[in-house]
Amino acid sequence: MTDHSVLHLLGPSTGGIRRHVAELAHQLNERGWPSSVAGPVGVMAGLVDDAAVVDVPASWNPAALVRAREALAARLAGTAILHAHGLKAALVSLSLGRRRPPIVVTLHNDVDGTHAGSTARLLSVVQKAIVRRADQVIVLSKESLERSREVVDPTRLNLVMPVAPRPAARRTPQEVRREYGLDLDAPLVVVAARLHPQKDLSMFLHAFALVRASLPNARALVVGDGPERATLERTRADLGLEESVVLAGHVDHPADAIAAADVVAVSSRWEAGPLVSVECLQLGRPLVTTATGSVSEQLVDRTHARITPVGDTAAFATALVEVLTEHEPTRAMAEAGRRLAGESFDPEALVLPVVDVYEAALAVRGRSRSR
């Protein structure tokens, strides 16, 4: 009988990747693919109790990468598939050489979409080298699929929607609003995102300033942390939004904030498969998003969500105001989005294409060994 054990490896993460990995491992376990998770200390806290420590670094420091490789090698016994989530985890995995099992790499972020200038050029070389060597590659959006086709054989390239857990709020909207000092009747925009340039939260703040011109009592709650916090605090002050925008920092259960929203905003410049959008739709909340990533590819503007061009501050602000003021169309849109989420983003269905990828990787490795 073929061994189906899977080891998932990820690097430092505070956002949707860790929730995706936890849910994917859970769904695979349910289907007879025993799955364990490894990564830096605490990366799966609150999601996976027995995650192994493999300290995939946040940097590209060679010594740190070597240490991670040796820690990973010590955990490989009995592993049939090594599933690397992200470039650094993939590089550590591929550096195992002949000791490695078949490796599946998921590109959760494409460097051409998330970096610019010399950094993007350098990382693009690294990304291409990694995906050429992986046994199978998973991308999360059509945009990433097109970018990868030039370097990955079609038999090894797979477009698979990200697996997201079904969210459930643990607190009422009233409890969330009271925690952050928000008026119970104020129109509330919620952002759940890492504070990173990719998320274009500066654009969101400028758009929200325009929203306030039409709806002076509107409030925004931003949950998440990251390297742009100080910059965003300055922008908030410059725009006179200190009393109306709460930068809440990291929260353990973002579904509470999402469920409390009158509208959820995703302002990203680029995305692969933003789980926050899926969670918003699953919770039946109205969504305003930029036209990026696999989720927006599934949505119809004004039917399931409001979709605006990337970086268009005025259009984003207009969409937010419309959702906050046009109550009947907004309710219908949110309900249509909830139904679509149930049909298209069911984690029990989305895990099946991943199993197909694993079986393809094992089949190719089996043919190679029989020669």
Side-chain angles (χ1 to χ4, degrees):
M1 185 179 203
T2 303
D3 183 4
H4 286 164
S5 60
V6 182
L7 176 60
H8 297 270
L9 180 68
L10 72 162
S13 174
T14 58
I17 293 175
R18 59 196 293 273
R19 299 200 302 280
H20 161 74
V21 170
E23 183 64 19
L24 179 57
H26 168 71
Q27 293 293 338
L28 287 166
N29 277 315
E30 293 291 306
R31 281 156 185 76
W33 290 76
S35 294
S36 56
V37 180
V41 175
V43 70
M44 299 302 290
L47 296 172
V48 176
D49 293 332
D50 56 352
V53 175
V54 174
D55 198 12
V56 177
S59 71
W60 295 93
N61 180 277
L65 291 167
V66 169
R67 287 193 296 271
R69 180 190 68 194
E70 295 309 310
L72 176 61
R75 299 281 180 179
L76 280 181
T79 298
I81 291 285
L82 179 53
H83 191 158
H85 298 267
L87 287 186
K88 294 187 183 73
L91 183 59
V92 171
S93 300
L94 290 164
S95 70
L96 291 164
R98 294 179 180 177
R99 294 180 289 177
R100 69 179 181 85
I103 292 176
V104 174
V105 173
T106 295
L107 294 179
H108 289 275
N109 287 301
D110 190 313
V111 297
D112 290 331
T114 55
H115 294 80
S118 59
T119 299
R121 290 190 292 273
L122 177 61
L123 290 180
S124 181
V125 172
V126 174
Q127 178 172 296
K128 288 175 181 178
I130 285 172
V131 298
R132 284 192 184 103
R133 294 178 59 201
D135 293 279
Q136 291 286 324
V137 177
I138 293 174
V139 295
L140 307 181
S141 70
K142 293 177 182 176
E143 186 178 1
S144 291
L145 183 70
E146 292 302 319
R147 286 175 171 166
S148 300
R149 276 178 171 156
E150 64 183 73
V151 292
V152 183
D153 185 284
T155 63
R156 298 188 296 111
L157 184 61
N158 310 272
L159 173 59
V160 179
M161 289 290 294
V163 176
R166 295 185 184 91
R170 298 173 181 174
R171 295 184 296 160
T172 67
Q174 293 78 12
E175 289 171 331
V176 172
R177 287 176 179 246
R178 289 191 187 100
E179 177 182 354
Y180 296 108
L182 301 167
D183 189 275
L184 297 183
D185 298 321
L188 180 61
V189 183
V190 169
V191 175
R194 184 168 179 249
L195 308 187
H196 185 278
Q198 173 193 349
K199 306 301 183 180
D200 208 2
L201 295 176
S202 176
M203 186 278 277
F204 167 75
L205 290 176
H206 282 84
F208 189 71
L210 297 177
V211 171
R212 291 263 300 166
S214 298
L215 299 170
N217 64 332
R219 297 292 183 268
L221 173 62
V222 179
V223 295
D225 215 338
E228 277 220 313
R229 184 178 184 91
T231 300
L232 294 171
E233 287 174 343
R234 289 193 295 271
T235 301
R236 179 179 63 171
D238 292 343
L239 293 171
L241 298 175
E242 289 175 299
E243 299 301 318
S244 57
V245 175
V246 177
L247 298 176
H250 172 76
V251 298
D252 291 328
H253 196 65
D256 289 342
I258 294 170
D262 292 305
V263 58
V264 174
V266 176
S267 56
S268 303
R269 297 173 185 168
W270 188 89
E271 286 285 357
L275 294 191
V276 64
S277 297
V278 176
E279 292 168 343
C280 167
L281 297 171
Q282 289 172 326
L283 287 166
R285 308 315 302 144
L287 172 66
V288 173
T289 180
T290 50
T292 183
S294 58
V295 177
S296 69
E297 293 167 356
Q298 305 291 316
L299 306 178
V300 175
D301 184 35
R302 295 183 185 275
T303 297
H304 307 110
R306 288 303 321 275
I307 306 171
T308 70
V310 172
D312 191 330
T313 304
F316 203 79
T318 297
L320 289 172
V321 170
E322 289 177 356
V323 169
L324 289 170
T325 57
E326 299 177 3
H327 301 300
E328 287 302 322
T330 293
R331 278 193 284 270
M333 185 179 74
E335 177 56 25
R338 187 191 62 77
R339 289 196 302 270
L340 179 69
E343 297 164 1
S344 300
F345 305 124
D346 178 2
E348 294 181 5
L350 291 177
V351 74
L352 299 179
V354 179
V355 169
D356 291 341
V357 172
Y358 292 170
E359 290 179 338
L362 289 171
V364 170
R365 181 60 64 93
R367 289 195 295 270
S368 298
R369 287 175 174 169
S370 66
R371 290 172 184 168

